[in-house]
Amino acid sequence: LPLNLRSPSQTKRDWKPLENRSCTDIPWLILFTLFCIGMLLIAGFSVATGAAFRLLSGYDSYGNTCGQTNEKIPGIELSGQNHTGKRYVFFLDPCNIDLTQRRIKSLALCVSSCPQTTLQTYYDIRNFAITNNSLLCTYDLNPSQYTSSRESTTKCPKLPVPASKSLPVFHRCMPVNISCYAKFAEAAVNFFTDSSVLHTVAAGVMASKGVIIGLCVMSLVLSMILMVVIRYISTILVWILGAVVAIGSLVATGVLWWVYVDHQKTAESSQPGIEQNLARENATALLIYAIVATVFTVVLLLLMFFMRKRVALTIALFHEAGKVFIHIPLLVLQPFWTFLSLMFFWICWLSVLLFLGTAGKPVKNQEGLVEYQMDGPLQYMVWYHAVGLIWVSEFLLACQQMTVAGAVVTYYFTRDKSKLPLTPIVSSILRLMRYHVGTVAKGAFIITLVKIPRLILTYIHNQLKGKENACARCMIKACVCCLWCLEKCLSYLNQNAYTATAINSTNFCTSARDAFIILVENALRVAAINTVGDFILFLGKVLVVSCTAFAGVLLLNYQREYTVWVVPLIIVCLFAFLVAHCFLSVFESVVDVLFLCFAIDTKYNDGSRGSEYYMDKSLLEFVENSRKEMEKGTRGEGSEMRPMVSCTPTLFFLKIFDHVPCNHNGYLTPLMNQYRCGLITI
């Protein structure tokens, strides 16, 4: 039989929600595992070569690691020192900062303790060395030689020696007064040199820390409440939004035409000359603007008219998403766990990168100081490690998407909601770890392939700023924009592929193909959900930030001792937007998963016996309303079920069965029965 005339059992074999479960994309699981093992080997290499200990404990300018006995480095004077009791790194000129290399350009020594007070003279340095057994001058200089001689000025610290304390982990003696490090923030040097402004801002933040914490908690609560309430106000938001956009477009178009007519009259009444020519040019420009605005308004109104039913589906999905969060409240915590996982990985990644920076060979630079330079295979390790940052980060984000998709799919395709697993989120995580890690790794790798060249081109574009070749910068920027758009499209397709995998346990490519077909068949619905739905969620983010900022203004106004409002309000608003974005992006993911489940449900089920819908009551009411409209003779874009079935010449022969009653399965194939029942149109 042709594809469209197969029985439900023949067609449904491609979509058996939650019936079969098998491992997917095993080769990619193996590849990702080997890649992670490679990253672990790089971390182990940096630790085994002493780079980790060298970074944490520090080393002097002669290649000696502080706190241990060192071996002699050929060609390096004063190397091979025994620094067992010298655990701190002391810089002779800690404020001599090299901005280009982002390092302290100073001779470094290993000392027993950091000077706690300011040392004004060489006599103070000598007394500190005798009292604390800590030499602050080079190792070849005896404390008795600490004088104002020329040799001491080059081998001893610059006077006065500022009071310093050691860093908690890295054992570096850093000055207590960090004013000399303002060079690292040259862009803000004018602001930070005004100590009164800095102290005022800091005092305002510290004084209002209680209000800041309270408002941050308030934004968190508002975001959680909004996810539940939005299902009840989505209808109002959608229609108010539609009315405002339509009225705004009509008013703007009318104003443009009115201004054009006014300029046209002015041009006709003006005397020939420069003024008349200028008036005519303005009138011509306004005519173009008015025509463009008219076309835009007409197209917009037509789209709103033909997509009004799709907007109704968006509202129904929002209602259903609210129910999902009621049945699966742990979905709210997914951004939190993902954030913790990413932070842990980023800290580990940065630590290994810093270890690799001190894992090279000791080389004496032009100043006579020892540096560890990466060359040969070590450079490839750094590139390998950089690719791992992107791939593993995308993998963790994809795991969240797959976890959310698995939980929502379980909810949707479980007819009796009382039989849901005790914790669908935990069940989804276990299912992901057992069957679908390879699929997630493959999807993350595809995003990595697009993101790496985009980041490289972005870096090149930043390096070309200020150069003469403007054409090259423009072309690179266009390529970056195209790669960004491609990345967003692939991310959306990946998310739907994960949903298809969670439904049918197919590999990534098969799932992506099946999801793409479903999305193409429902292109108008996808457009409605991704425009109207995303805008509603954006309004939700704005609502959370606005309410938090308004409450902050009231609280800070009530507490008159808070003299600086700007910084606390900025901190609170940024945190509120971040929290709202995390929560509502999960809500958006749930809506997308529900839509794909709904599309599959309506494509392979018709509500008849043996082919009952999985959907909940709110979505079922939407389908019933669409069916009633079709029974009244509604055709074309008003028919919500038509995109679900492909139209082939075979369907035209169904017209001969118009006399057969609905659900008369003894005479009709299932597809013909759907046609007679008004579920599909020709």
Side-chain angles (χ1 to χ4, degrees):
L1 288 174
L3 178 62
N4 289 333
L5 294 180
R6 292 178 182 174
S7 63
S9 60
Q10 289 175 298
T11 308
K12 196 177 179 180
R13 66 181 181 181
D14 293 333
W15 292 94
K16 296 181 179 179
L18 307 178
E19 292 186 16
N20 299 325
R21 190 62 56 185
S22 59
C23 295
T24 55
D25 295 294
I26 297 178
W28 282 93
L29 170 61
I30 298 174
L31 179 62
F32 183 72
T33 303
L34 294 176
F35 184 86
C36 292
I37 292 174
M39 293 190 67
L40 293 176
L41 291 177
I42 291 176
F45 169 81
S46 64
V47 175
T49 55
F53 188 79
R54 191 181 299 126
L55 176 68
L56 296 176
S57 299
Y59 58 94
D60 61 16
S61 297
Y62 310 105
N64 301 302
T65 303
C66 299
Q68 70 177 24
T69 303
N70 299 274
E71 297 180 357
K72 180 70 176 180
I73 302 175
I76 305 297
E77 298 180 359
L78 300 179
S79 61
Q81 300 285 329
N82 184 3
H83 290 330
T84 304
K86 302 176 180 180
R87 300 185 299 112
Y88 304 100
V89 179
F90 176 76
F91 298 96
L92 271 62
D93 189 7
C95 291
N96 187 8
I97 301 169
D98 187 353
L99 292 175
T100 58
Q101 299 293 329
R102 295 175 295 277
R103 63 183 179 88
I104 299 176
K105 191 177 180 180
S106 169
L107 191 70
L109 303 173
C110 293
V111 298
S112 301
S113 61
C114 302
Q116 302 292 326
T117 59
T118 303
L119 305 178
Q120 300 289 345
T121 63
Y122 290 109
Y123 178 78
D124 295 335
I125 298 175
R126 183 169 66 251
N127 287 340
F128 179 82
I130 296 173
T131 304
N132 300 278
N133 193 25
S134 184
L135 305 180
L136 300 184
C137 298
T138 56
Y139 310 133
D140 58 345
L141 197 65
N142 192 280
S144 60
Q145 298 176 301
Y146 292 178
T147 61
S148 57
S149 63
R150 184 175 181 180
E151 186 179 18
S152 297
T153 56
T154 57
K155 296 185 177 182
C156 289
K158 183 180 179 181
L159 295 177
V161 180
S164 58
K165 291 183 179 180
S166 62
L167 296 177
V169 178
F170 294 97
H171 301 95
R172 269 73 169 178
C173 295
M174 304 306 292
V176 177
N177 184 7
I178 60 174
S179 59
C180 62
Y181 295 131
K183 296 179 182 179
F184 280 115
E186 287 183 331
V189 82
N190 294 330
F191 174 78
F192 285 106
T193 51
D194 188 355
S195 59
S196 61
V197 175
L198 179 62
H199 292 162
T200 303
V201 172
V205 173
M206 294 303 297
S208 58
K209 61 182 179 181
V211 175
I212 293 176
I213 295 175
L215 291 174
C216 290
V217 174
M218 174 185 171
S219 65
L220 181 65
V221 175
L222 284 176
S223 300
M224 297 176 65
I225 294 176
L226 183 63
M227 294 177 65
V228 180
V229 174
I230 198 170
R231 54 176 285 204
Y232 299 107
I233 65 174
S234 56
T235 304
I236 301 175
L237 283 177
V238 168
W239 295 121
I240 290 178
L241 170 64
V244 169
V245 172
I247 294 174
S249 300
L250 290 172
V251 170
T253 303
V255 169
L256 283 174
W257 280 110
W258 177 76
V259 174
Y260 161 71
V261 172
D262 183 65
H263 276 71
Q264 186 69 21
K265 291 180 179 179
T266 302
E268 293 176 356
S269 60
S270 300
Q271 296 295 329
I274 298 177
E275 293 184 0
Q276 187 180 43
N277 294 334
L278 183 61
R280 287 180 177 177
E281 290 179 0
N282 292 335
T284 303
L286 286 171
L287 176 62
I288 296 174
Y289 297 153
I291 293 175
V292 172
T294 303
V295 173
F296 173 79
T297 302
V298 171
V299 173
L300 178 64
L301 294 177
L302 289 175
L303 286 175
M304 293 177 64
F305 175 77
F306 287 113
M307 294 179 65
R308 66 188 187 282
K309 300 303 178 184
R310 276 78 184 182
V311 173
L313 175 59
T314 304
I315 297 172
L317 289 174
F318 271 57
H319 280 275
E320 191 67 18
K323 296 180 182 178
V324 171
F325 281 96
I326 293 176
H327 285 86
I328 315 176
L330 290 180
L331 279 174
V332 179
L333 300 178
Q334 290 310 297
F336 177 73
W337 300 120
T338 304
F339 175 75
L340 289 182
S341 302
L342 286 172
M343 287 300 298
F344 175 77
F345 169 70
W346 289 341
I347 291 174
C348 294
W349 183 88
L350 183 60
S351 300
V352 174
L353 181 65
L354 294 175
F355 295 162
L356 291 175
T358 56
K361 296 179 180 180
V363 178
K364 184 183 292 187
N365 59 16
Q366 296 178 354
E367 292 82 11
L369 309 180
V370 172
E371 294 180 350
Y372 288 89
Q373 295 183 355
M374 296 180 293
D375 56 354
L378 199 59
Q379 293 180 341
Y380 297 106
M381 289 185 183
V382 175
W383 283 106
Y384 186 96
H385 195 59
V387 174
L389 171 66
I390 302 176
W391 193 2
V392 177
S393 299
E394 292 295 331
F395 173 80
L396 294 175
L397 294 173
C399 285
Q400 173 183 303
Q401 295 176 349
M402 178 66 87
T403 301
V404 173
V408 176
V409 164
T410 302
Y411 167 84
Y412 187 95
F413 289 106
T414 301
R415 299 185 189 277
D416 188 0
K417 306 305 180 187
S418 62
K419 295 182 180 180
L420 283 171
L422 183 61
T423 53
I425 285 291
V426 176
S427 301
S428 179
I429 294 175
L430 295 177
R431 193 161 57 242
L432 164 64
M433 296 175 62
R434 182 177 179 182
Y435 297 108
H436 306 310
V437 176
T439 298
V440 173
K442 185 175 183 179
F445 182 77
I446 293 175
I447 301 298
T448 303
L449 286 181
V450 179
K451 183 165 288 188
I452 289 177
R454 183 172 67 86
L455 294 176
I456 294 175
L457 289 175
T458 302
Y459 174 77
I460 296 175
H461 177 264
N462 293 331
Q463 294 299 314
L464 289 176
K465 284 184 176 179
K467 302 295 191 299
E468 297 180 357
N469 196 345
C471 181
R473 294 200 308 271
C474 181
M475 293 178 62
I476 291 176
K477 196 169 185 179
C479 293
V480 170
C481 181
C482 293
L483 288 174
W484 181 84
C485 295
L486 178 60
E487 180 184 337
K488 294 301 178 183
C489 294
L490 289 176
S491 298
Y492 182 73
L493 182 60
N494 279 10
Q495 181 177 347
N496 287 278
Y498 299 147
T499 304
T501 299
I503 294 173
N504 226 25
S505 191
T506 50
N507 58 43
F508 179 83
C509 292
T510 303
S511 300
R513 180 200 62 194
D514 295 340
F516 180 76
I517 292 173
I518 295 292
L519 295 176
V520 170
E521 290 177 347
N522 299 270
L524 290 179
R525 288 173 165 175
V526 173
I529 293 172
N530 287 331
T531 52
V532 179
D534 289 352
F535 193 82
I536 291 175
L537 296 180
F538 173 75
L539 291 179
K541 298 173 188 177
V542 173
L543 179 64
V544 172
V545 174
S546 301
C547 292
T548 306
F550 180 72
V553 171
L554 293 180
L555 290 175
L556 293 174
N557 182 58
Y558 179 74
Q559 302 290 339
R560 295 301 177 94
E561 63 269 19
Y562 302 151
T563 57
V564 180
W565 288 16
V566 177
V567 176
L569 283 178
I570 290 176
I571 294 173
V572 167
C573 290
L574 288 177
F575 182 83
F577 182 82
L578 178 64
V579 170
H581 175 73
C582 291
F583 280 93
L584 293 180
S585 50
V586 174
F587 191 92
E588 180 182 0
S589 299
V590 171
V591 171
D592 291 336
V593 175
L594 284 174
F595 169 72
L596 192 64
C597 295
F598 169 79
I600 294 169
D601 193 10
T602 52
K603 181 174 182 177
Y604 292 98
N605 297 301
D606 57 6
S608 61
R609 188 172 183 179
S611 297
E612 295 84 0
Y613 290 120
Y614 287 95
M615 66 187 68
D616 205 353
K617 183 179 179 181
S618 59
L619 291 175
L620 188 59
E621 290 177 354
F622 169 80
V623 174
E624 291 295 334
N625 293 335
S626 300
R627 179 183 298 177
K628 290 178 182 178
E629 291 187 2
M630 285 188 295
E631 291 177 352
K632 293 178 181 179
T634 304
R635 293 295 184 265
E637 295 300 326
S639 175
E640 284 297 319
M641 306 302 294
R642 190 176 72 170
M644 294 300 180
V645 179
S646 301
C647 183
T648 63
T650 308
L651 292 176
F652 287 99
F653 293 99
L654 296 176
K655 290 292 186 179
I656 62 176
F657 294 99
D658 282 346
H659 65 282
V660 183
C662 176
N663 284 332
H664 205 291
N665 292 327
Y667 296 95
L668 297 180
T669 65
L671 186 65
M672 297 175 181
N673 180 54
Q674 292 181 34
Y675 164 74
R676 287 293 300 123
C677 297
L679 294 179
I680 59 175
T681 59
I682 300 176

